[in-house]
Amino acid sequence: MASLANVEHRNQEATCYVGNLDPGVTEDLLVELFTQVGRVNSVHMPKDKLTGLHGGYGFVEFLDVADADYAIQIMGMVKLFSRPMRVNKSSLDKKSGQNSLDVGANLFIGNLDPADVDEKLLYDTFSAFGTIIKPPKIMRDDMTNTSKGFGFVSFDAFEASDLAIECMNNQYLCNRQITVQYAFKKASTGGEGSDVVAEGGRG
């Protein structure tokens, strides 16, 4: 959809991710709220194609970076419909290099809809929980480039990955109940694509 393409053209440095939003929150309400702390250029809340409902997060793009930084400091404490908003910077930290911040907060995302879930949707969904240090990776068939139905997302802190697991594990993404858990590198040399595995269930 065009909404995903819009992410590419946004000024990422001046854009905030706003998460933990109540279903009753609208784009107009976010505009009204965030205009109080800075000059808002655009607001976008990705919506489910079938239900038309947003996924509990959105993007607020400001006209300059200073307004975005101020909003992160101020708005993270604000409650909307009794739910505290989570406000984070949307951009990848390009200054420090994509892999230099790899602390091991890497998540395995399983049972993804091969047709509807792509890397951009994973980024849109999971960046609400913290800073993603490298573009999400969906494992694809070498011949057809078709999604195998699972992928990986890496955060800069375990606080973010823990929150993502807490909020997204067993939740629905494009009408499929997804699995979100920690990914661990395997020492053995299996086949292709087997260098990372998910943590198994305990008990």
Side-chain angles (χ1 to χ4, degrees):
M1 282 185 71
S3 59
L4 294 182
N6 288 345
V7 179
E8 300 286 356
H9 305 298
R10 203 180 285 131
N11 179 359
Q12 295 286 17
E13 293 297 326
T15 300
C16 298
Y17 279 91
V18 186
N20 197 36
L21 298 177
D22 185 89
V25 175
T26 63
E27 292 182 354
D28 288 343
L29 182 57
L30 287 185
V31 169
E32 187 179 331
L33 191 63
F34 280 86
T35 298
Q36 297 176 40
V37 296
R39 293 163 299 159
V40 174
N41 189 39
S42 68
V43 171
H44 171 58
M45 298 178 75
K47 295 181 174 63
D48 185 279
K49 283 190 288 189
L50 292 180
T51 65
L53 300 174
H54 66 74
Y57 63 94
F59 310 96
V60 178
E61 180 190 5
F62 290 92
L63 288 175
D64 70 47
V65 177
D67 287 345
D69 290 340
Y70 182 64
I72 290 169
Q73 294 175 32
I74 301 299
M75 303 305 286
M77 299 177 284
V78 173
K79 287 187 177 182
L80 264 185
F81 299 115
S82 301
R83 291 172 67 163
M85 292 187 296
R86 297 193 178 278
V87 184
N88 299 303
K89 202 64 169 284
S90 73
S91 59
L92 295 170
D93 193 344
K94 301 180 187 71
K95 302 180 192 68
S96 53
Q98 289 186 338
N99 294 318
S100 61
L101 288 174
D102 192 346
V103 296
N106 306 314
L107 297 183
F108 168 89
I109 321 294
N111 198 35
L112 300 175
D113 187 317
D116 288 334
V117 179
D118 59 8
E119 286 83 357
K120 180 57 68 179
L121 183 57
L122 279 188
Y123 181 81
D124 283 359
T125 302
F126 284 90
S127 54
F129 303 106
T131 301
I132 293 177
I133 59 171
K134 54 190 173 186
K137 181 176 181 61
I138 288 179
M139 303 308 292
R140 297 180 179 276
D141 185 276
D142 288 338
M143 302 294 290
T144 64
N145 201 40
T146 303
S147 166
K148 293 182 178 180
F150 65 94
F152 300 94
V153 174
S154 299
F155 289 100
D156 68 341
F158 284 101
E159 202 173 63
S161 53
D162 286 343
L163 182 64
I165 291 173
E166 181 185 334
C167 294
M168 294 302 298
N169 188 38
N170 295 324
Q171 296 300 309
Y172 285 85
L173 186 64
C174 292
N175 297 299
R176 275 207 188 184
Q177 194 173 23
I178 62 171
T179 300
V180 181
Q181 53 196 28
Y182 277 104
F184 293 99
K185 294 191 182 303
K186 244 193 339 191
S188 62
T189 54
E192 57 180 35
S194 62
D195 56 326
V196 183
V197 294
E199 177 185 19
R202 296 177 185 169

